[in-house]
Amino acid sequence: KCLREQVEKARKMQESRFSSEETLRWNGDMHVNEVNKYCILGSEEREYMENIFKLKNLSMRTYHKILKLARTIADLEEEKDITINHLAEAVSYRGLEEEIFAYRKSLNRREECRKEKLEKKREITKLYKNCLKMLLQLDCTTDANLQEDQEGI
């Protein structure tokens, strides 16, 4: 089956599922109550998600996002029930999302570090110039004193 057909069938399943709901049309529209109503897990699936919840230290918001995504994956496969495979796939996408977020965060941190280093470099350059000025002034003073001393001899 082509992807387009799968998506069209999944959308029809969702429209049918939510036909009695006034505010829902797609799985992504579900709130907590609807997730509990339409994303029912069997005992093995519930145990799997309990383990994932603890293992990945998920928030309830993330937990519900995973259930909604698993429901969509099941719809694409024209499955009435959410299976462990659907949940695992949804969790793997969540992991990918975390990696992308971590990568973006590291890029931002690198940019911050680059700016901090540049600022520090500027500070050091300024201090270095001030030190050179002081040395030159000291050197000039010392030269003048030496000249006076030599003239006095």
Side-chain angles (χ1 to χ4, degrees), residues 15-74:
E15 285 175 342
S16 172
R17 177 181 305 121
F18 300 127
S19 63
S20 64
E21 302 284 344
E22 287 181 27
T23 59
L24 300 177
R25 188 164 179 200
W26 316 116
N27 291 339
D29 298 332
M30 288 190 281
H31 296 285
V32 176
N33 291 337
E34 291 89 10
V35 169
N36 292 333
K37 182 177 177 181
Y38 295 109
C39 299
I40 298 168
L41 302 178
S43 59
E44 288 179 8
E45 290 77 15
R46 193 173 20 263
E47 183 180 348
Y48 175 81
M49 281 309 294
E50 285 172 7
N51 290 332
I52 292 293
F53 189 85
K54 291 174 190 168
L55 182 68
K56 295 212 173 242
N57 197 25
L58 300 178
S59 66
M60 286 306 291
R61 184 172 181 249
T62 301
Y63 174 80
H64 289 110
K65 280 179 159 183
I66 290 171
L67 291 181
K68 289 192 282 188
L69 183 54
R71 174 72 270 157
T72 300
I73 294 166

Side-chain angles (χ1 to χ4, degrees), residues 126-139:
K126 188 176 178 181
L127 288 171
Y128 181 71
K129 284 180 180 179
N130 285 338
C131 287
L132 279 177
K133 249 188 218 175
M134 291 170 73
L135 284 172
L136 286 173
Q137 287 172 351
L138 182 65
D139 195 37

Side-chain angles (χ1 to χ4, degrees), residues 137-148:
Q137 287 172 351
L138 182 65
D139 195 37
C140 290
T141 309
T142 306
D143 284 347
N145 288 342
L146 277 175
Q147 219 170 17
E148 286 175 13

